[in-house]
Amino acid sequence: MTTTKTDPELAAISSASHKPASYEGLSREQLVSFYRYMYTSRRMDDREITLKRQQKLFFQISGAGHESIGVAAAFTLKPGYDWFFPYYRDRALCLGLGATPYEMFLQGVGAAADPSSGGRQMPSHWSYTRLNIVTQSSCTGTQILHAVGCAEVRRYLAKHPQAAHKVQGDYREFKEIVCRDDEVTYVSLGDGTTSEGEFWESLNISALRKLPVLFCVEDNGYAISVPVEAQTAGGNISRLVQGFPNFHFEEVDGTDPVASYAAMRRAVSHCRAGDGPAFVHAHVIRPYSHSFSEDERLYRPESERQHDAARDPVHSTQMFLIREGILSAEKINQLEKEVDEEIQAAVDQALNAEPPRPESVKQFVYSPDIDPSSSFFAAEIVSTDHEHNGKKGPAPKTMADMINTTLHDEMRRDERIIVFGEDVADCSREEYLHNHLVKGKGGVFKLTFGLQSEFGSERVFNAPIAEASIVGRATGMALRGIKPVVEIQFFDYIWPAMMQLRNELPVMRWRSNNGFSAPCVIRVAIGGYLTGGAIYHSQCGESIFTHIPGLRVVFPSNALDAAGLLRTAIRCDDPVLFLEHKRLYRENYGRAPYPGPDYMVPFGKAHIVQPGTNLTVVTYGAVVPRALQAAQKLERENSIKVELIDLRTLNPFDWETIAASVQKTSRVLVAYEDSLSWGYGAEIAARIASDLFEHLDAPVKRLAATDTFVAYQPMLEDAILPQTADLYRAMKELAEF
Ligand SMILES: Cc1ncc(C[n+]2csc(CCOP(=O)(O)OP(=O)(O)O)c2C)c(N)n1
Ligand SMILES: [Mg+2]
């Protein structure tokens, strides 16, 4: 037995939910077409397995046993209208929606013309832009949060239809929004995947926001070798999810085409009507091993496999058609012959397809349409003539105020921007705000203060404490053309979102060969020097993210740069991790007058904080003011002139400015707040050592935190993080080397 349900129970589910005579609204012709898709799907799996044995493709994972529920979903949803986040067993679904066998074989052979990924992803990693089938990864469960974010777009545009308008001059020029007011977002997953936290986060948020997400759990009783009773408490996911409000629930024999169709139809109609999410739990089988690389006979006895085989949906549907007099055995033979010929032709064609060019590997890591390093983003400061303290000229703003003002500016300019995160709203209980009973919070650092009051609760709202979902939902929204500017409250708590930040958000464009992309901004409060911040409120760790291709990483050191860089981050077409140093939020250093609502700073352009001739210091973030103090003291006391470079953005970074400076000074110190070993400065130091060796008169030096955590006791914190005195000493030693 592979499920906790007994056969009579399954039979009861099946017969209770369909009346054979009317086939639940499926016509006889539709049933024939239903079977055709099922048979095509199975034959394609078989064919791929043969091709894999012949080493003509490189991997195989089958959708065998999942065909009925897949085609049922395809028959009840609309390709290019509804949205699809399928998983790897959804071949039959994708065929039913309009993907062709040829397209699928192209992915198998890794052809340049593979519409899903251009040879970048394994087979069965579906992505078809024309059908709204969104690129998927191999990670179990990450896609569910994307589906949630995607479904939120319908909810948002219902209230803000103007947001869909196309606008020239920023990412919107390249991001079409098409949204239907009754669209449904389908997402599928296996029984094992229901153990992932992202699944539960998705259920919660879909229920909370009454989103039109159709969850389809394809329960084949196994997750590789782990049976469902060892995976799911009580062995049945339906029982566990019953308490979520606003859901429509179905539990169905997913090998039965008519019952599957009926269940899907009810689920779709609940979602379409806007009544909330739906949950279809389909009991299916897995007649083949997990994948080609796996042998299920190691953990499943022959008797159990035989038992599964008796429920094979392709076989039982064929029998059903004959029994009902819908197709004769002869007609079935003819249909199967036609399909076999179609598959043969598709294989022949795919085997002759060109592979991708090796030179193409760097394409689509970033947007080909907007280069955030270009001079387009070098917008001028517009001076504003306000009075302040009786003096002429605008009041200098802190970095915190400047970020807040920039968010206000950009939200006024661009209705596609949505802000959410933990505590970012002014007040979730809107009536308190409206009745002026409270002033509002607007973030633990108050950076988003007043946004909800100005732009409303559909544009600015609190998210559950679930960081993966903050990034995953943002990804799903951004895929549709919305621009989420979300907040992770503390860098120290970014780690639950790591899977989304490493394997999903920055990979969308590359893995779909530019079919999909998810430009959005993740604002994160980072860093120490807090006097009491301790281990879990002081972390850096930026190099972990600069190591991720596809993700822009920004780290401003002053108010003006924060405004200019945040604007570039929002208007550009790539995902951006925007790191805001908490210690700099309200510092006197780096305050600046408001530069106007269009001020931008391009990425990858460092700022020379002060020019010098004896020594170069390369740094960023909160080390900048400390290094400046040290450099000024060094000049005062020792007449050593330091050229201080503030990188401003870490990916991309400004190699030209570093190289020009080191060629001039021949000595360089790379300083950063994070712990020394494997840190961001290691890459810069290695590059200087490798490319500028002949220009150096001294070894490349690094100064950074100790290889420990950041302690609470201020004396320990001082000893751990690089201080002005440490910087002074290191600069002096290097200058005197
Ligand atoms: C996050 C993550 N962990 C582990 C894996 C390896 N893995 C791939 S499929 C799989 C089992 C999934 O089981 P289930 O969700 O039941 O889907 P099924 O393959 O049975 O259809 C595992 C553990 C993965 N791909 N992603
Ligand atoms: Mg499974």
Side-chain angles (χ1 to χ4, degrees), residues 66 87-89 138-140 189-193 196 218 220 222-224 286 290 499:
H66 294 231
Y87 88 121
Y88 46 82
R89 303 236 189 260
S138 303
C139 314
T140 52
L189 54 142
D191 46 294
T193 300
E196 293 283 5
E218 299 177 20
N220 56 21
Y222 272 96
I224 308 186
R286 195 191 75 186
H290 171 74
M499 176 75 109

Side-chain angles (χ1 to χ4, degrees), residues 141 143-146 148 197-207 211 213 215 247 469:
Q143 77 278 15
I144 320 172
L145 287 169
H146 306 158
V148 171
E198 285 162 311
F199 167 71
W200 295 97
E201 291 180 18
S202 301
L203 291 176
N204 184 41
I205 294 160
S206 306
L211 299 172
V213 184
F215 293 75
F247 263 89
S469 80

Side-chain angles (χ1 to χ4, degrees), residues 204-241:
N204 184 41
I205 294 160
S206 306
L208 197 63
R209 308 202 85 208
K210 255 182 128 180
L211 299 172
V213 184
L214 196 164
F215 293 75
C216 178
V217 174
E218 299 177 20
D219 182 351
N220 56 21
Y222 272 96
I224 308 186
S225 69
V226 182
V228 67
E229 74 274 12
Q231 178 85 242
T232 302
N236 183 312
I237 193 63
S238 277
R239 263 183 245 142
L240 299 189
V241 300

